[in-house]
Structure formats: structure tokens, C-alpha cells
Amino acid sequence: MNRQVELKDVVRIIDEKIEFLNQQNGVGALMALAGWANSDKLNTVIDSNKIVIKELTDLRMKVLEL
């Protein structure tokens, strides 16, 4: 099976993942402000998401350079 992937599709998928993580961070921040969740645990998740977002952004830039 020979399947060709277009770079625009790769960029779109990366963008979707970045958007999802940003939304997750926003919801987590709102939950912490409302007192619905442990802010220490949420901050850990948000910090981890920020690292992944940075890595995905770097990957996106490398794909665009191809």
C-alpha cells in the first residue's frame, strides 16, 4: 500500500493538536479559578501542555521548511 501524505495535511493535524491543547489549558485555568479542581495538579498539566505545544510548533515550522 503506497500512501502519499501532503504537507498541508500534516500542518493541519499539528494545528488541530495545538488548538486542542490550548483549549484544554483554558478549561483547566477556568476550573482552577472556579475551585473545581486542585490547582497544583492543573498547573502541572498546563505546564506539560505548554511544553508539548512548543514542540509541536517547532515541528510545524520544520514541516513548513520542507
Side-chain angles (χ1 to χ4, degrees):
M1 183 170 158
N2 192 5
R3 183 174 177 195
Q4 185 176 4
V5 177
E6 293 192 29
L7 293 179
K8 67 178 182 178
D9 294 331
V10 173
V11 171
R12 181 184 53 79
I13 291 168
I14 293 170
D15 287 344
E16 288 174 0
K17 299 303 178 189
I18 291 171
E19 180 63 26
F20 172 77
L21 292 171
N22 280 325
Q23 290 176 3
Q24 188 179 42
N25 283 353
V27 170
L30 290 174
M31 289 176 65
L33 287 173
W36 293 341
N38 182 329
S39 61
D40 291 335
K41 289 182 181 179
L42 283 174
N43 285 336
T44 301
V45 171
I46 289 171
D47 290 342
S48 296
N49 283 353
K50 287 179 181 178
I51 292 168
V52 174
I53 289 168
K54 183 186 178 322
E55 291 173 357
L56 285 171
T57 302
D58 292 345
L59 178 62
R60 184 183 190 279
M61 294 307 292
K62 288 179 183 175
V63 169
L64 290 174
E65 290 173 2
L66 294 177

